[in-house]
Amino acid sequence: MSCYGFSQSEYPQDYFRNPLDIPIVLAGTFAELRSSHFHGGLDIKTRQKQGLKVYASAQGYVSRIKISHFGYGKAIYITHPNGYTTVYGHLQKFSDRLERYIKDCQYDKESFEVEVFPNPSELPIQSDEVIAYSGNTGGSAGPHLHFEIRDNQERPINPMLFGLDVKDTKAPYVSAIFAYPKDENAIINGKNERVQLRLIPQKNGNYEVEKITAYGNIGFGVTSYDKQDMAPNNNGVSNIQTFFNGNKSLEIDFKRFSFDETKHIKRLIDYEYYKTKRARIQKLFIQKNNPLSLYKNAYDNGYIKVEDSTSSVYKIRIRDYKDNETWVSIPVKGAYQPIEDKITDVSNKSIVYSDKSTVLESDNIKVNFYANTLYDDTYIDFRVSSDTLFLDEDKIPLQKNFYINYDLSNYKTEDLDKLFIARLYGYYKRPSYVYTKRKGNALSAGSKVFGTFTLAMDTVPPTIKPVNFQDKKWLSKYRYLKVKIDDDLSGISKYRATVNGEWILMEYDYKTKTLVHDFNDNIVKDTKNELKIIVTDNVGNSSTFEAIFFRK
């Protein structure tokens, strides 16, 4: 008999319908671990295509519409009488009524990217109303519908708690187990460092771990995934519990979180391991400066104390939403073993404090770390060579931005406008633009990741190329006008398109680098039309494209 449960009665059952008219098959689960956040909803597969009807999950009103190049792309927010809000993201387009509303806003603001908050009487929505069509806009890596349910405090909640059903008879699986010493006095298999343990799969789907020998306060970490019946994706699990000699040690419950805390996923996972091995270890212990609300029943922050001459068992129970479960058993032999003092040479490193501001400075570069930028006091590699800043590697988790400042007093005045701060990435150390501000002879930029930074100069304007037309062409039978824009170094900052001097909406897809105008907007009415597009990069270089086309 299982005593595990989500108290589903807290949430209205059968109130919200499936937002698509096909069975729910998931590409991503709620609170799944992503690169820098917890996933806020369900990613519902749309059979690898766009244009599926998206239905309002319940009666309500449109309380927010947001269109952005990144993130959720085209998104609708519907607030319901019961206080919850549903969110529909990565949409291809809206229903005719909502499309007219939002295009009026876009033309009024002369901007593709808009965010509006209609009042409750402006856009009422009926149950089962088609509100949009599924797509691949924003930060989507492939066609799907992102679907959320949020409470009245804007906290996302697992939509499956409301009765939405996904076929899942498969138990979670485990790919790796690790043990961690809490401090310098703890030892695991003769080492005072993270140790990977040998997993032994059992015929019943559970796992045993080869017996470990340990002493002192230690914790464990697990890499685990879940699969549903109709999809091969490695999805996130719903609940993890740990037990030491039969007593509960810790529980991690992924049923709700707040957006304010999602960045602290870097404290849940082993960030250094993720950045070097590309796999996420979920730490089953709570370190300092970890504010996540996912934890429950944490005894001694999830650590266990292993004493000399003892035999113990540590167990991990991993569950998906459908209560399929997998157990991992780790026998622990307690044995004191003296370990040699580890000598860590930090003579060439600089310390950054977690609880107070730190400033590192060399030549013309200064780096500011405000209090609580790092989780722990940390020694980092800080070096400056000419205009290149070596600031350790991206394997140390940060809570918020640090700030890089360059003094440009030695640069020619005519060069200042084209300079920006770039992070060098990849094997070839290509410069990637970091949002840069200039004040007088100083440049500054914030970053939430360590790495190598430098000053870069961009003097080349963006490129603009027509895709489906040429100068002086008749476009009477065309619905769309398409142009490709690109910038090789600092990146596109803004663009503006007009026909006969009047602003026209061109939707920008950064993934295909394409601008698209829909003639159905009914802005272009003349026979002879003068098109003008101006594209500007992040340091102010601009290109202008002009052409004439005809329509009747």
Side-chain angles (χ1 to χ4, degrees):
M1 177 179 176
S2 171
C3 60
Y4 171 88
F6 278 118
S7 299
Q8 292 185 9
S9 59
E10 295 177 32
Y11 305 99
Q13 300 298 293
D14 302 320
Y15 185 93
F16 295 111
R17 60 156 285 176
N18 175 357
L20 299 175
D21 53 13
I22 59 175
I24 295 177
V25 179
L26 297 182
T29 51
F30 180 80
E32 190 169 273
L33 309 181
R34 298 294 172 88
S35 58
S36 60
H37 62 279
F38 298 102
H39 187 229
L42 302 178
D43 280 348
I44 305 175
K45 287 177 178 280
T46 55
R47 297 177 174 172
Q48 300 181 337
K49 58 185 178 181
Q50 303 185 48
L52 274 62
K53 292 179 179 178
V54 177
Y55 297 87
S57 277
Q59 178 187 358
Y61 68 92
V62 175
S63 55
R64 181 183 180 192
I65 301 176
K66 184 175 182 180
I67 297 179
S68 56
H69 297 143
F70 308 102
Y72 292 173
K74 296 183 179 182
I76 294 175
Y77 300 69
I78 298 177
T79 296
H80 305 279
N82 62 0
Y84 292 99
T85 297
T86 51
V87 183
Y88 313 77
H90 306 308
L91 302 170
Q92 179 190 60
K93 61 180 180 178
F94 307 122
S95 66
D96 289 345
R97 177 167 65 105
L98 302 186
E99 192 79 11
R100 285 194 299 271
Y101 178 91
I102 199 63
K103 281 201 172 183
D104 285 346
C105 295
Q106 289 173 309
Y107 276 95
D108 181 59
K109 297 176 182 293
E110 295 192 352
S111 175
F112 168 60
E113 291 192 297
V114 293
E115 183 174 19
V116 294
F117 299 87
N119 65 53
S121 63
E122 280 188 275
L123 296 172
I125 297 294
Q126 301 303 314
S127 299
D128 300 327
E129 180 177 340
V130 175
I131 57 170
Y133 297 86
S134 67
N136 187 33
T137 56
S140 170
H144 71 276
L145 174 67
H146 176 86
F147 178 70
E148 291 181 19
I149 299 179
R150 300 182 182 180
D151 66 14
N152 57 12
Q153 298 179 52
E154 282 291 300
R155 294 177 300 185
I157 304 170
N158 188 346
M160 295 176 69
L161 289 165
F162 296 82
L164 296 180
D165 193 38
V166 177
K167 187 175 182 181
D168 184 1
T169 61
K170 299 180 180 180
Y173 73 94
V174 176
S175 62
I177 292 286
F178 299 82
Y180 292 78
K182 182 181 181 182
D183 51 43
E184 66 276 5
N185 298 314
I187 186 166
I188 304 154
N189 289 347
K191 297 180 179 179
N192 180 241
E193 59 189 34
R194 179 186 63 218
V195 176
Q196 184 166 359
L197 309 179
R198 190 167 79 87
L199 268 176
I200 308 170
Q202 304 297 295
K203 290 182 179 180
N204 62 2
N206 294 325
Y207 299 84
E208 298 284 340
V209 171
E210 190 172 56
K211 179 184 287 186
I212 67 169
T213 300
Y215 179 80
N217 295 304
I218 68 172
F220 292 89
V222 61
T223 301
S224 61
Y225 304 97
D226 186 46
K227 289 181 183 289
Q228 285 81 47
D229 287 19
M230 303 170 70
N233 303 67
N234 291 326
N235 295 137
V237 303
S238 287
N239 186 277
I240 302 176
Q241 299 174 356
T242 67
F243 305 85
F244 185 50
N245 292 332
N247 298 311
K248 182 177 280 190
S249 179
L250 179 72
E251 181 175 354
I252 308 176
D253 190 0
F254 295 99
K255 75 175 180 181
R256 184 181 68 195
F257 62 87
S258 70
F259 287 111
D260 288 341
E261 64 180 317
T262 188
K263 64 184 179 181
H264 296 293
I265 188 175
K266 293 181 179 181
R267 208 50 166 164
L268 171 71
I269 66 170
D270 185 327
Y271 187 75
E272 183 270 338
Y273 190 87
Y274 167 64
K275 298 304 291 189
T276 55
K277 304 292 186 181
R278 307 311 298 178
R280 297 178 181 89
I281 304 170
Q282 297 166 84
K283 293 183 287 191
L284 306 177
F285 51 90
I286 307 172
Q287 296 165 289
K288 73 171 188 175
N289 293 326
N290 183 341
L292 290 172
S293 63
L294 304 171
Y295 301 106
K296 297 167 61 178
N297 306 312
Y299 177 76
D300 200 16
N301 287 325
Y303 290 100
I304 65 170
K305 184 174 183 179
V306 182
E307 298 181 337
D308 192 23
S309 303
T310 58
S311 291
S312 307
V313 177
Y314 181 89
K315 290 192 174 187
I316 309 169
R317 172 199 269 171
I318 304 167
R319 294 202 175 200
D320 62 25
Y321 180 79
K322 283 300 192 77
D323 278 356
N324 302 302
E325 68 178 25
T326 298
W327 286 84
V328 181
S329 296
I330 307 173
V332 182
K333 177 184 177 183
Y336 173 76
Q337 294 174 287
I339 55 176
E340 295 183 7
D341 292 336
K342 290 193 297 185
I343 301 176
T344 304
D345 184 10
V346 296
S347 58
N348 293 322
K349 295 197 172 187
S350 303
I351 190 168
V352 178
Y353 296 98
S354 63
D355 60 350
K356 61 182 179 181
S357 296
T358 305
V359 178
L360 303 179
E361 192 168 4
S362 179
D363 298 336
N364 64 324
I365 301 175
K366 181 169 66 174
V367 184
N368 291 87
F369 298 88
Y370 295 104
N372 303 312
T373 299
L374 275 72
Y375 288 98
D376 302 294
D377 295 347
T378 307
Y379 283 95
I380 67 170
D381 181 17
F382 168 77
R383 291 179 290 118
V384 171
S385 176
S386 185
D387 285 328
T388 300
L389 166 65
F390 301 93
L391 202 57
D392 220 289
E393 299 177 53
D394 179 19
K395 59 183 183 181
I396 300 169
L398 303 176
Q399 298 193 57
K400 59 185 182 182
N401 284 347
F402 59 88
Y403 294 90
I404 302 168
N405 302 276
Y406 275 82
D407 181 351
L408 305 181
S409 299
N410 294 329
Y411 274 84
K412 297 178 182 177
T413 303
E414 59 267 27
D415 292 336
L416 297 185
D417 287 340
K418 304 305 178 185
L419 289 170
F420 64 95
I421 298 174
R423 182 171 179 264
L424 303 180
Y425 71 97
Y427 180 82
Y428 295 104
K429 299 299 182 185
R430 286 182 54 83
S432 176
Y433 177 82
V434 181
Y435 179 70
T436 304
K437 294 181 179 179
R438 179 185 162 199
K439 187 175 182 180
N441 285 335
L443 286 185
S444 64
S447 176
K448 201 178 287 186
V449 295
F450 285 142
T452 302
F453 300 83
T454 193
L455 280 184
M457 180 178 290
D458 185 359
T459 59
V460 180
T463 58
I464 309 172
K465 297 178 181 179
V467 173
N468 65 339
F469 70 98
Q470 58 194 30
D471 192 30
K472 298 180 181 177
K473 184 173 181 178
W474 281 86
L475 303 179
S476 300
K477 296 182 179 180
Y478 285 57
R479 176 170 174 180
Y480 298 105
L481 183 73
K482 298 181 180 180
V483 174
K484 184 159 290 214
I485 63 175
D486 196 10
D487 188 77
D488 189 50
L489 193 52
S490 64
I492 302 295
S493 171
K494 58 185 178 180
Y495 63 90
R496 179 178 176 84
T498 58
V499 170
N500 302 328
E502 186 173 0
W503 185 86
I504 62 168
L505 173 65
M506 296 199 82
E507 300 196 356
Y508 177 49
D509 183 350
Y510 77 94
K511 289 174 288 194
T512 61
K513 303 178 180 179
T514 305
L515 294 176
V516 178
H517 173 69
D518 186 347
F519 284 123
N520 282 1
D521 288 358
N522 204 30
I523 300 298
V524 178
K525 298 178 180 178
D526 297 340
T527 300
K528 181 180 178 181
N529 299 278
E530 296 179 1
L531 171 69
K532 184 176 183 179
I533 302 174
I534 302 172
V535 181
T536 307
D537 66 19
N538 278 300
V539 296
N541 298 306
S542 288
S543 292
T544 300
F545 172 85
E546 294 182 283
I548 293 173
F549 65 87
F550 301 91
R551 279 177 65 84
K552 64 177 180 179

